[in-house]
Amino acid sequence: MSTATDARAGLRADRDTHFEVEQFYYEEAGLLDAGRYADWLDLLADDLDYWMPTRTNRLRRQQALSVAARGEAAYYDESKESLAWRIRRFDSGMAWAEDPPSRTRHLVTNVMVRHVDPAEHPGFTTDDLHVRSAFLVYRNRLEREENVFAGSRTDLLRRTPDGLKVARRTILLDQNILLAKNISTFF
């Protein structure tokens, strides 16, 4: 890796890269909303870490403890393989929570793109991207079930010959108690 490449570590990406990432997220949202989960899997790296920890209400001085740590309770703690298994189950007729399937709308905003700092993320390079975004996911199921999920995502996007791939995704919901009857939505 050249010194010029290392100089980008942790720096904000240029507008072309930022636009590329936004378009990637819009494509991802479109695939999820269309129920094209197998195509969505193609946007994920083979070594994917997809994690959505639970959170609790804490006093201001205890905010560092409000989000569950690794190994504690999580809504999702998945690999690409386990997500593929979930998706195959949707099509099997055995996933009652998604039969009939939910209708979703994924909105992604407040996208902030920086080059990865390899010192903070071993195994990644400055060509890879550290991205934070906010999301709102509306879900409608059956006739009267409606859910709104709001939160943030922190992603590490790996640049590959096939384009960007999500290698790490941490999803943090703003709510700590889910009012949904199930959580079968991808974020």
Side-chain angles (χ1 to χ4, degrees), residues 156-168:
L156 293 180
L157 301 182
R158 182 176 293 131
R159 194 170 292 285
T160 73
D162 297 325
L164 294 173
K165 302 277 184 182
V166 178
R168 307 284 179 271

Side-chain angles (χ1 to χ4, degrees), residues 113-165:
V113 184
R114 295 190 173 277
H115 292 278
V116 167
D117 183 345
E120 292 180 19
H121 302 285
F124 291 88
T125 72
T126 54
D127 288 332
D128 301 322
L129 302 167
H130 182 268
V131 184
R132 292 177 191 237
S133 62
F135 67 83
L136 186 70
V137 177
Y138 169 82
R139 174 181 167 211
N140 180 272
R141 185 169 179 276
L142 301 173
E143 292 178 9
R144 294 183 179 90
E145 288 182 33
E146 288 185 312
N147 304 110
V148 176
F149 303 98
S152 64
R153 299 186 307 193
T154 302
D155 291 345
L156 293 180
L157 301 182
R158 182 176 293 131
R159 194 170 292 285
T160 73
D162 297 325
L164 294 173
K165 302 277 184 182

